Amino acid sequence: MIARQIPDGASATSGVDANRLVTRAVAAVHGWTKTAPLSRAKILSDLAQVLSDGSEDLARLMVEEVGKPITEARFEVAAAIDMVTAFAAWPYWGRSSRIGEQSGGVEGHVILKPRGTVVLITPWNYPISNPIQNIAAGLVTGNAIVWRPSPRVPRCSEALAAIFERLGLPEGVFSSLLEAGSEGAAALVADPRVSAISFTGSSSVGARIFGEARSPDTIVQCEMGGKNAAVVLFDANLEIAADRIVAGAFGFAGQKCTALSRVFVEAEVADKFQLALKAAAGAAVFGDPADGSTQVGPVISPEKRMELDAVVEGACARGLKPLAVEYKNAGDVSGDAFFAPHIFLDVPRADPLMREEFFGPILAVGRVADLDNAIEAVNDSPYGLAAAIFTSDRSKARRFAAEVEAGTVKINEATPGLSVMLPATGWKSSGAGPGELADESIRFFTKATAVIG
């Protein structure tokens, strides 16, 4: 079922719709829990096929609605299909675990049971894959889902909701609340019948949701902001590092929670790296997201572009100067939502460019003395989502991974991009509660019962 409140702005009826959808989910969850796990998984297999059949349409819808470059949009749909396929196999790889024989021949094992009624609040920047990864994990583990997508992506959300309507799920097992405001989301979070809440978005909203869940039995999962950093050591391949950092900072105009926004370079190669960075940035294509060559498209709105303009103006007023780069253009970039990427060099660690999340293609580069100094700089942040290191020394890379305060560490690769079979977690202000993907998703969507005897 889809409850729609899109056309008229924030509607007072959204809260009523939210209550109705939760009521339906509560009524449906018992029967869905009793459905055999392989039968639940079969519906996910059907979903993977439907997504595959409509993949190009979904990708082009993302291009039109959020300005995601077509190559990235296609990759997002492909990633969503991989996620569905992985969770469809959950009955085989993760349904229960045996813990072995105890004294006296008594055996023990663990049964994983569904939470019950789950609310998913998802963002605009990944309008297909983010909902899919959570819906798939929630359904296969036996939960009933109420999904509230971002109001910024009504067309993508309508398309995805329509796909679920075609799957033949039992009444009330999956429903969508498509609203223009936030009344419905607030009502869902406050409903004591909701057993679990998953939110992806800003740290400020996530912290509020984490504190507002009404029932003591409600588990909350928040994947929030990041100020992700890369470290470039003197022994790195500077050209490869520069190329991957530009892709990680400017892909989809930096509008990813895992996008790079800070870089710390060992001082002895800082000047050489700056030349490599300028060359890599100059090779990036900026322009029409429908063009297959485009890497950097528009930001989400003219208002966002003006916000980023103000960030740049403030940095320049503090004496920082952007690196002069001529970007390759794919089509006209004079529209109100186009914001050219900016790179600032020799940025102090205390500067706002190094501290604050701007969610746009602005990259701050600073110098560090050595690996110790680099780890200290990366950890000097309220965020802890992702980090990267570029080095040819595996021992240094392992030490970085062990000591850096981040949920994901990439070695010789930029921070964006996750694996469905590895957990994605946020440290500090970047996350709260269990993480996402792999066993972390299963841990969030289930409760464990130990059986002994």
Side-chain angles (χ1 to χ4, degrees):
M1 177 183 179
I2 307 174
R4 296 177 177 85
Q5 295 297 332
I6 292 296
D8 301 321
S11 169
T13 62
S14 295
V16 175
D17 288 328
N19 179 74
R20 180 161 48 93
L21 296 183
V22 171
T23 298
R24 287 160 47 86
V26 169
V29 72
H30 182 71
W32 183 239
T33 297
K34 297 297 183 184
T35 300
L38 286 176
S39 297
R40 301 196 298 257
K42 172 61 169 62
I43 289 179
L44 294 191
S45 297
D46 295 342
L47 171 61
Q49 186 60 56
V50 174
L51 290 171
S52 180
D53 293 343
S55 60
E56 186 64 13
D57 289 340
L58 289 171
R60 293 199 174 276
L61 195 53
M62 282 188 276
V63 172
E64 295 168 8
E65 191 160 51
V66 298
K68 180 164 287 194
I70 184 62
T71 302
E72 283 208 43
R74 288 170 178 151
F75 181 80
E76 178 173 339
V77 180
I81 294 168
D82 287 344
M83 291 168 182
V84 172
T85 302
F87 284 118
W90 173 74
Y92 300 102
W93 62 258
R95 185 169 169 228
S96 65
S97 59
R98 186 165 293 276
I99 60 176
E101 190 173 293
Q102 298 179 348
S103 61
V106 176
E107 201 173 70
H109 66 280
V110 175
I111 300 174
L112 298 180
K113 302 175 182 178
R115 295 274 178 188
T117 297
V118 177
V119 165
L120 308 177
I121 301 175
T122 60
W124 58 264
N125 58 331
Y126 285 93
I128 303 299
S129 63
N130 186 276
I132 283 291
Q133 72 186 44
N134 289 300
I135 293 168
L139 288 178
V140 78
T141 48
N143 298 277
I145 305 292
V146 180
W147 172 47
R148 189 275 194 180
S150 168
R152 284 185 178 269
V153 283
R155 294 174 62 200
C156 288
S157 302
E158 287 267 8
L160 198 53
I163 286 173
F164 279 95
E165 284 195 327
R166 291 164 49 192
L167 291 178
L169 284 162
E171 183 82 5
V173 166
F174 174 84
S175 55
S176 308
L177 176 61
L178 310 184
E179 62 172 348
S182 59
E183 286 89 346
L188 291 173
V189 168
D191 197 315
R193 297 171 296 172
V194 171
S195 303
I197 301 167
S198 175
F199 167 80
T200 302
S202 70
S203 295
S204 59
V205 175
R208 191 166 70 245
I209 287 174
F210 200 80
E212 288 179 357
R214 294 299 173 86
S215 170
D217 295 329
T218 301
I219 186 171
V220 182
Q221 170 196 71
C222 293
E223 195 278 327
M224 300 180 284
K227 190 66 179 175
N228 309 300
V231 167
V232 181
L233 299 184
F234 75 92
D235 58 1
N237 183 314
L238 299 184
E239 287 71 27
I240 290 176
D243 177 77
R244 301 316 305 144
I245 285 170
V246 165
F250 299 155
F252 188 30
Q255 298 172 123
K256 305 174 184 179
C257 56
T258 53
L260 279 170
S261 60
R262 300 183 291 156
V263 180
F264 299 106
V265 189
E266 275 199 289
E268 65 183 273
V269 294
D271 292 338
K272 288 183 180 178
F273 177 73
Q274 289 173 8
L275 293 175
L277 190 62
K278 182 172 182 177
V285 180
F286 173 50
D288 180 5
D291 189 309
S293 67
T294 295
Q295 295 163 275
V296 189
V299 293
I300 186 64
S301 67
E303 293 75 21
K304 184 63 181 180
R305 191 219 72 215
M306 289 188 287
E307 181 184 310
L308 295 171
D309 284 339
V311 171
V312 170
E313 290 169 8
C316 292
R318 294 191 300 274
L320 298 173
K321 293 183 179 180
L323 183 65
V325 177
E326 256 192 61
Y327 293 96
K328 293 182 178 179
N329 287 349
D332 182 14
V333 293
S334 62
D336 289 344
F338 282 100
F339 174 84
H342 283 67
I343 299 171
F344 287 86
L345 304 177
D346 298 318
V347 180
R349 269 169 54 182
D351 190 87
L353 289 186
M354 286 288 191
R355 306 293 302 172
E356 299 173 12
E357 184 187 30
F358 302 116
F359 219 64
I362 298 175
L363 185 64
V365 183
R367 301 180 186 226
V368 290
D370 52 26
L371 179 58
D372 287 337
N373 191 208
I375 293 171
E376 179 187 352
V378 171
N379 290 342
D380 183 19
S381 172
Y383 298 101
L385 190 58
I389 186 168
F390 292 85
T391 178
S392 59
D393 188 328
R394 292 295 294 185
S395 65
K396 290 180 180 178
R398 286 194 293 269
R399 184 184 157 208
F400 180 83
E403 296 185 19
V404 77
E405 297 167 353
T408 297
V409 172
K410 295 285 193 75
I411 299 173
N412 294 321
E413 184 53 270
T415 46
L418 302 170
S419 167
V420 67
M421 296 313 295
L422 291 174
T425 59
W427 289 35
K428 300 187 278 190
S429 293
S430 291
E436 297 179 312
L437 301 177
D439 289 337
E440 285 289 298
S441 281
I442 301 305
R443 185 161 71 94
F444 171 69
F445 284 107
T446 61
K447 297 176 288 189
T449 294
V451 180
I452 302 170

